[in-house]
Amino acid sequence: MKMVKVCSPGTSANLGPGYDVFGLALYEPYDTITVMKTDDSNDNDNKITITMEGEKCEEIPTDVDKNTAGVVAKKMMEDFDISDNIHIHIEKGIKPGSGLGSSSASCAGIAVAMNELFDLKLSKLELTQYASLGEAVAAGAPHADNVAPAIFGGFTMVVGYEPLEILHTPVEFEVLVALPNIQIPTKEARELVPKNIPIKDMVNNVGKACGMVYALHTNNIELFGKYMMHDAVVEPCRAPLIEGYSEVKEKVKDLVYGITISGSGPAIISLPKKEHILEVKKIFKETWNCPIYYTKVGPGAYVLESK
């Protein structure tokens, strides 16, 4: 095999009270990652070259040690003693800094592509472990709340890191996502998270998170959305970074089952009531005049082509 092309999905993490634990894979937006064996020699010690295309791709470094996909590929090549030269081409369909798992899509996509190209036979949990290493480049520390759904698909929960433990529930429901044209660096957003949390806020978030899991297992999307609206810890700190968010949340509260900030933002994810989809889209558009995705929960990264 000489080439593998992978589709890697956008994701939404946190989902309100599930900070750094909950994640959803989305059908769109998505990245496409192509990895090719090449005979070209280059100056990189690990024989990796990277090219990019897509929105704001010029902001993403192509240096292997500074690129999220490059870090993952390099580690996998070291661990499996892979001596081939490879070229990675990333088509960014997910805007960097969107709160929709842009860096995670690259991390997950390259892990799946390398696994296929070199027949490594890694499990999804092992692929998630590798993919999470690339997140340290974007967020300052390895974390798996976005890469887990990007690998497993559906709804995921990161329930432990040492060792990494992922719980996965395949679900399917529709979401409406707005992407305001606001830049929020992931590292900056993580620094806003409070270091000390009042016990009443912890109880609120643990309770609501438990309710969301129960809602999924009873197929009650209305209840799932209701509980995801109530994050007492992280959302209050990040909401001021997204102009108009608090006003929009108030306007749509009776039109959606739930609404919250996706990941570190600025993307907003909502579960609209079917009869109010157009009304919610109009409110999003009037407030932010931004891209809007009406999509659904989807699969993890998968191979589009190999030869």
Side-chain angles (χ1 to χ4, degrees):
M1 191 179 296
K2 293 286 187 181
M3 181 278 289
V4 171
K5 180 181 287 188
V6 168
C7 177
S8 193
T11 51
S12 182
N14 303 343
L15 304 174
Y19 178 73
D20 270 12
V21 175
F22 289 173
L24 280 181
L26 306 175
Y27 262 104
E28 59 176 347
Y30 58 84
D31 283 358
T32 304
I33 293 93
T34 304
V35 183
M36 297 164 280
K37 294 179 182 177
T38 173
D39 295 329
D40 297 337
S41 61
N42 57 72
D43 295 330
N44 189 287
D45 290 341
N46 282 277
K47 303 179 180 180
I48 302 169
T49 55
I50 302 171
T51 52
M52 311 279 302
E53 65 174 293
E55 187 176 10
K56 295 203 170 184
C57 67
E58 68 280 357
E59 297 180 4
I60 303 172
T62 54
D63 180 281
V64 172
D65 293 319
K66 297 179 181 178
N67 183 282
T68 58
V71 168
V72 176
K74 181 178 178 179
K75 178 61 174 172
M76 294 178 81
M77 292 180 76
E78 289 173 349
D79 286 356
F80 291 93
D81 197 26
I82 297 169
S83 59
D84 298 79
N85 298 329
I86 64 167
H87 178 71
I88 302 168
H89 182 69
I90 304 173
E91 299 173 57
K92 294 300 296 180
I94 309 168
K95 182 180 177 182
S98 62
L100 293 173
S102 180
S103 61
S104 298
S106 297
C107 297
I110 190 65
V112 170
M114 294 289 287
N115 189 52
E116 179 77 8
L117 184 62
F118 294 104
D119 193 27
L120 303 180
K121 296 182 172 60
L122 296 174
S123 68
K124 288 187 177 182
L125 184 64
E126 290 169 319
L127 291 174
T128 303
Q129 185 82 65
Y130 276 109
S132 67
L133 299 176
E135 282 287 68
V137 177
H143 62 102
D145 55 336
N146 281 104
V147 293
I151 296 287
F152 282 86
F155 173 78
T156 57
M157 294 172 281
V158 183
V159 296
Y161 276 95
E162 295 180 2
L164 182 66
E165 294 180 79
I166 307 293
L167 298 180
H168 168 240
T169 301
V171 295
E172 187 171 312
F173 53 85
E174 296 172 333
V175 298
L176 188 65
V177 180
L179 181 52
N181 188 28
I182 300 167
Q183 197 74 23
I184 302 178
T186 302
K187 291 181 181 179
E188 178 183 324
R190 291 185 74 83
E191 287 170 359
L192 290 175
V193 177
K195 303 300 185 290
N196 298 295
I197 302 169
I199 191 72
K200 65 180 178 63
D201 292 340
M202 186 196 75
V203 170
N204 171 86
N205 277 33
V206 171
K208 296 300 187 295
C210 291
M212 290 171 71
V213 175
Y214 171 83
L216 285 185
H217 282 276
T218 56
N219 197 31
N220 189 335
I221 299 305
E222 179 177 354
L223 189 62
F224 181 85
K226 173 186 174 183
Y227 287 147
M228 89 178 201
M229 293 182 74
H230 298 286
D231 171 17
V233 177
V234 178
E235 184 181 282
C237 301
R238 291 177 170 174
L241 299 177
I242 306 170
E243 185 177 355
Y245 172 65
S246 296
E247 292 80 2
V248 165
K249 190 170 182 178
E250 180 64 25
K251 286 179 182 178
V252 305
K253 66 180 182 180
D254 295 325
L255 310 176
V256 301
Y257 296 130
I259 181 171
T260 191
I261 298 169
S262 176
S264 58
I268 307 300
I269 184 169
S270 66
L271 277 61
K273 299 176 181 179
K274 285 187 179 295
E275 65 271 25
H276 295 300
I277 291 170
L278 293 179
E279 194 174 348
V280 176
K281 288 179 72 173
K282 182 180 179 183
I283 291 170
F284 286 170
K285 203 73 175 178
E286 287 176 348
T287 303
W288 294 302
N289 190 28
C290 66
I292 297 171
Y293 303 96
Y294 183 44
T295 185
K296 59 184 178 180
V297 182
Y302 59 91
V303 175
L304 288 169
E305 181 183 357
S306 61
K307 59 183 179 180

